[in-house]
Amino acid sequence: MKEKVFNVSGMKCKHCVMTVTEAVSEVEGVQSCDVSLEKGTVTVKFDDTVDESEISSAIKEEGFGVA
Ligand SMILES: [Cu+2]
């Protein structure tokens, strides 16, 4: 199990949080996803089978920026 904190820009409201949470959770192998709107962070726990780029891509596809 790995854990990474992604810095995500563009999240402005609870709807954005839901959108990001759903997109990340849909990536196969992701165990949990915790979004902080205040900090602009997305903390993800995932299996070793998952590449970090899959997660950042899922976030970007929803129109948000990943640092
Ligand atoms: Cu929003």
Side-chain angles (χ1 to χ4, degrees), residues 31-48:
Q31 298 301 320
S32 71
C33 173
D34 182 43
V35 179
S36 169
L37 186 59
E38 294 76 18
K39 295 178 188 167
T41 57
V42 178
T43 305
V44 187
K45 288 180 181 162
F46 50 98
D47 294 343
D48 292 338

Side-chain angles (χ1 to χ4, degrees), residues 17-28 30 33 54-55 57-62 64:
V17 173
M18 278 181 50
T19 302
V20 170
T21 301
E22 280 177 19
V24 172
S25 298
E26 277 174 12
V27 177
E28 199 172 323
V30 167
C33 173
E54 295 177 57
I55 298 169
S57 293
I59 297 171
K60 287 176 186 169
E61 276 172 20
E62 298 298 334
F64 300 97

